[in-house]
Amino acid sequence: MATSFKNDSEVIGAKWAAFSRKSGQEVVNSAEAASGQDLLAGRGIHNRSTALREEGEAETERAADSEIKRSSQRVSRRPQKTLSEDEACTLLHRSMSTHENALRSNHSELRVVETSLGRGVVRVDSENDKRTETFLRKQMPLKDAMQMADDCGLEGAKILYAGTDPVSGREFMISGWVPGEARPLRDPNFMTWFPDIVDQMELLAKRGRLPPELQGSVAEWQRANISYADRAFRNMPAHMRANAEELGLGPPSQYMKADVTRTDPAVPSHNDIHFANAISRSPTKSTVIDWEFAGAGDLVHGIRAATNRQLGIPPEVRAAADRMAHKRLTSFVPANPESSLQHYRQMEHWRALALVCNPRDPQPIGNAVERLHPMMRLWHEPGNGWPLVSKEEFGEMLARWRA
């Protein structure tokens, strides 16, 4: 059985001391070794495809494709420095024995550390009873998703170490720190940096390689997502299930089906691109982080997720962003994406209602009511089972659940 990381665990302390003696290696003082060696900050920015800027610019696309190939080849040949097992395990135990320098995550315990290769982030999957269900499906190991992005030439966090802790038996990873700030939720400069995000979507879709078990049609991918969310809904803690029943919310398969017209293949995708996962490198360039849900996907979904979560921008700007992205990703987007867009919109709204059934949901009650009640009104029709209560009743429910 895996052992939890606790500061007062005598068992871990004894086992770790024995392991350190056996290794016979002196552990590098991570704070001293890290001084002046933040390698990530000095790494170059790789060229990306400019995609189809305007319809008919075939020569531009061919030139950009050639540069993508050269950039990907350069990345794959570049040697990647990594941490020793001794240093990685020491950083793991030191960081997890305290809540200092912790980062927020729904599925993992994260700590910022200083390594001999610069600043990094220690990541350990949370134990089941500490995870917050997001109803999003994990398709591949995070280290494989990050490696796929790196092989494509995308700028991002590098894997400094990935392995298993010899004391607890839990897998963990240390990745490089990505300098910069997350894009703001309400950003008037959204259209300045969003084209670069579209370029990265295209580059990943063109150059990424999915394992055989993830290859299939978009319809099959949608069906798998619904099936996962169904299971996660049925496995919610009893108090959350009771809240969902009071609201009148059922599993997603009760309301939606896969778009069977989407027989085109699913492509390598990040699947969770939005403002908080785009770290600013310059006014126009971003580093995409958090590859936890990467795998197969649909770029119609990627565009929808990226533009819809950018709150506070005028509807006409969002519409222009959607048109621009669909035009530049024309080889990966169906001529009429409306049925798929409706599917993703309804699934997104279902997730929002399911998440608010968790008493630990961080949204202020007033904000949650104003944001979520229109979603109920949008999809509710007589006999379709979609929940609908008054705003007052909804607010009272949330207050009672959180009391």
Side-chain angles (χ1 to χ4, degrees), residues 118-156:
R119 180 166 294 178
V121 177
V122 177
R123 178 189 295 265
V124 183
D125 283 347
S126 299
E127 295 175 308
N128 290 336
D129 61 344
K130 297 180 180 178
R131 296 185 182 186
T132 299
E133 180 58 66
T134 62
F135 305 98
L136 294 175
R137 180 170 61 102
K138 292 185 68 172
Q139 302 183 59
M140 59 195 304
L142 177 60
K143 63 179 184 295
D144 293 349
M146 292 174 63
Q147 188 62 56
M148 177 175 67
D150 191 58
D151 290 343
C152 290
L154 296 181
E155 185 72 15

Side-chain angles (χ1 to χ4, degrees), residues 80-283:
Q80 171 65 42
K81 293 184 178 181
T82 57
L83 302 174
S84 68
E85 179 187 31
D86 195 24
E87 182 183 0
C89 290
T90 299
L91 290 168
L92 170 70
H93 283 266
R94 285 179 180 173
S95 62
M96 290 299 166
S97 66
T98 175
H99 286 285
E100 294 181 2
N101 300 319
L103 300 176
R104 182 180 174 184
S105 173
N106 289 323
H107 292 273
S108 304
E109 296 178 56
L110 305 178
R111 301 289 189 275
V112 180
V113 295
E114 298 295 339
T115 82
S116 60
L117 297 178
R119 180 166 294 178
V121 177
V122 177
R123 178 189 295 265
V124 183
D125 283 347
S126 299
E127 295 175 308
N128 290 336
D129 61 344
K130 297 180 180 178
R131 296 185 182 186
T132 299
E133 180 58 66
T134 62
F135 305 98
L136 294 175
R137 180 170 61 102
K138 292 185 68 172
Q139 302 183 59
M140 59 195 304
L142 177 60
K143 63 179 184 295
D144 293 349
M146 292 174 63
Q147 188 62 56
M148 177 175 67
D150 191 58
D151 290 343
C152 290
L154 296 181
E155 185 72 15
K158 309 304 177 186
I159 300 172
L160 304 182
Y161 184 86
T164 302
D165 173 38
V167 176
S168 68
R170 292 169 70 182
E171 293 185 355
F172 74 102
M173 184 175 72
I174 302 178
S175 59
W177 177 260
V178 176
E181 299 291 333
R183 298 290 183 179
L185 172 62
R186 304 178 186 277
D187 191 354
N189 298 314
F190 173 65
M191 285 299 289
T192 301
W193 54 267
F194 183 58
D196 172 62
I197 296 295
V198 175
D199 285 348
Q200 296 188 53
M201 289 182 183
E202 181 187 36
L203 180 56
L204 183 64
K206 282 185 174 181
R207 300 299 179 190
R209 294 293 179 266
L210 293 173
E213 64 270 19
L214 295 183
Q215 296 175 12
S217 69
V218 170
E220 290 171 326
W221 173 75
Q222 293 176 351
R223 195 174 296 114
N225 291 340
I226 294 172
S227 178
Y228 172 82
D230 270 4
R231 292 194 303 272
F233 180 82
R234 296 189 178 98
N235 291 331
M236 286 194 305
H239 66 285
M240 289 182 61
R241 284 293 305 274
N243 293 344
E245 289 174 5
E246 182 180 2
L247 181 61
L249 184 69
S253 60
Q254 181 176 327
Y255 313 110
M256 64 200 84
K257 305 295 181 186
D259 182 359
V260 295
T261 67
R262 295 298 305 276
T263 58
D264 50 308
V267 297
S269 302
H270 180 281
N271 291 324
D272 195 27
I273 289 183
H274 57 89
F275 65 95
N277 286 340
I279 305 299
S280 172
R281 293 204 318 270
S282 75

Side-chain angles (χ1 to χ4, degrees), residues 277-292:
N277 286 340
I279 305 299
S280 172
R281 293 204 318 270
S282 75
T284 60
K285 301 294 183 182
S286 302
T287 298
V288 175
I289 62 171
D290 286 357
W291 291 80
E292 194 165 23

Side-chain angles (χ1 to χ4, degrees), residues 3 66 87 95 150 196 216 315 360 388 400:
T3 306
S66 177
E87 182 183 0
S95 62
D150 191 58
D196 172 62
R360 294 184 297 177
L388 180 62
R400 188 170 61 255

